[in-house]
Amino acid sequence: MTRHLISAADLSRDEAVLILDTAAELASVAGRPIKKLPTLRGLTVVNLFFEDSTRTRTSFEAAAKRLSADVINFSARGSSVAKGESLKDTALTLEAMGADAVVIRHSASGAAHRLAGWVTGSVVNAGDGTHEHPTQALLDAFTIRQRLGADGRAADQRGAGLDGVRVTIVGDVLHSRVARSNVLLLSTLGADVTLVAPPTLMPYAVESWPCKASYDFDAELRKSDAVMMLRVQQERMTAAYFPSIREYRRRYGLDAGRMALLPEHAIVMHPGPMNRGVEIAAEVADSPRSTIVAQVSNGVIVRMAVLYLLLGGAAAAA
Ligand code: NCD
């Protein structure tokens, strides 16, 4: 395993499968009355969050605690960052307190990469600007494998990738670190990924990505095993990318009528937070095809696997 997890591209197919298999092992712990393992006892994990987050921060916290690590939660609000302290000085301060791993979320693309050059511990990218969010892609891959298996039909298969599984990622791809990490990871695992977005929200150099791009949502739905809806990220929009929310919903929203176009076995995913009634209708989000709640619980076990593999080896060697 690499020391850091900055990009989904850091992972070979074997490493990605190892993380998914380790998570599958750890899933049994999540079902026990006492959900704790002693693996990372004595190690410190710092959650360094410069951007708002509900599920990712609490998910990393739960993952580290279930492995018995000490967790320090840092949020920029209420810290010396509000007084103008730089990322580097903040990082060095935390390092001086003995962080073995730093989980970072920051609004600047490349922040996790910079941090990795300053600290001695492992760095895990929990979302840097519009760049990447590799653990989200891992939990999505885990969820797809759990629900569909490698060939898009069978049950959970340890050791397997996602060969031939057809995944359609829909919406605000331009601003989505979730989409970037998923395209890289899912293609590494053998899936066929297609992006669907309004032309204004499709990234410029998408031809160089390991996926297809389409503007025909309904046609893609008919051949999808999994459809992943993305949040319209209004906080990152600097221009008018579509005429109105109503127009967006009509062309790119997933409602019950569109969901009926999916093959019977297909699943509907969303990384959260959702804009119910915009990119996804409430009845779709709450339908049995939706894996949205499972994605959240899988997030904890996948992050346990990542922390275990990044830090557990080092702890065992010490
Ligand atoms: C995503 C994020 O923050 O990148 N959410 C998440 O981590 N679950 C997606 C989003 O904000 O839309």
Side-chain angles (χ1 to χ4, degrees):
M1 273 295 282
T2 55
R3 184 153 69 91
H4 307 296
L5 181 56
I6 311 288
S7 161
D10 295 343
L11 299 171
S12 65
R13 181 185 168 113
D14 286 350
E15 285 170 332
V17 169
L18 175 66
I19 295 173
L20 301 186
D21 287 351
T22 306
E25 292 291 332
L26 291 167
S28 61
V29 178
R32 291 189 204 154
I34 296 173
K35 300 181 178 50
K36 236 173 152 91
L37 291 173
T39 327
L40 300 186
R41 198 164 48 199
L43 298 182
T44 301
V45 176
V46 173
N47 274 328
L48 188 57
F49 275 61
F50 292 88
E51 251 188 18
D52 297 343
S53 170
T54 306
R55 68 212 84 219
T56 306
R57 194 185 61 70
T58 48
S59 180
F60 270 107
E61 182 176 353
K65 285 183 169 164
R66 284 186 194 172
L67 294 172
S68 305
D70 294 318
V71 181
I72 298 176
N73 283 317
F74 171 95
S75 76
R77 212 166 290 158
S79 75
S80 288
V81 171
K83 299 180 186 166
E85 185 163 57
S86 69
L87 173 60
K88 182 171 182 177
D89 288 325
T90 307
L92 293 179
T93 302
L94 296 165
E95 167 96 307
M97 292 178 193
D100 297 288
V102 181
V103 178
I104 179 173
R105 169 166 285 196
H106 199 285
S107 58
S109 299
H113 175 75
R114 295 287 292 175
L115 183 69
W118 295 326
V119 299
T120 52
S122 293
V123 173
V124 182
N125 183 5
D128 62 329
T130 58
H131 178 227
E132 281 220 42
H133 191 358
T135 59
Q136 178 70 43
L138 284 162
L139 76 88
D140 290 335
F142 183 87
T143 306
I144 295 171
R145 197 174 74 160
Q146 185 182 51
R147 284 286 288 258
L148 299 174
D151 64 358
R153 304 283 183 282
D156 185 352
Q157 294 165 0
R158 304 245 170 121
L162 295 174
D163 296 298
V165 179
R166 296 162 304 177
V167 183
T168 306
I169 303 179
V170 187
D172 184 358
V173 180
L174 183 65
H175 299 107
S176 179
R177 52 199 180 200
V178 173
R180 265 172 199 68
S181 288
N182 262 302
V183 167
L184 293 169
L185 182 77
L186 297 178
S187 62
T188 299
L189 287 168
D192 293 327
V193 184
T194 303
L195 300 174
V196 174
T200 48
L201 290 173
M202 193 65 95
Y204 309 112
V206 75
E207 312 76 50
S208 64
W209 292 24
C211 62
K212 291 193 279 283
S214 162
Y215 301 97
D216 190 342
F217 189 15
D218 291 355
E220 297 305 326
L221 281 175
R222 290 190 176 89
K223 42 190 184 176
S224 300
D225 299 307
V227 55
M228 188 183 297
M229 303 306 297
L230 300 172
R231 183 172 66 89
V232 175
Q233 303 202 13
Q234 261 155 342
E235 79 278 17
R236 296 193 204 279
M237 292 191 185
T238 51
Y241 289 88
F242 48 83
S244 67
I245 289 286
R246 193 157 161 253
E247 174 74 3
Y248 183 90
R249 178 172 53 220
R250 199 175 65 77
R251 308 249 341 223
Y252 297 98
L254 187 61
D255 58 16
R258 277 219 168 93
M259 187 168 69
L261 299 175
L262 284 167
E264 210 170 318
H265 66 275
I267 57 171
V268 176
M269 313 177 75
H270 194 302
M274 285 182 273
N275 292 311
R276 282 177 183 251
V278 182
E279 70 271 359
I280 189 164
E283 56 195 323
V284 174
D286 300 331
S287 79
R289 280 168 183 270
S290 158
T291 60
I292 297 167
V293 176
Q295 284 170 268
V296 176
S297 18
N298 289 339
V300 178
I301 52 175
V302 165
R303 289 175 177 122
M304 284 172 78
V306 167
L307 291 172
Y308 170 76
L309 291 168
L310 289 180
L311 294 177

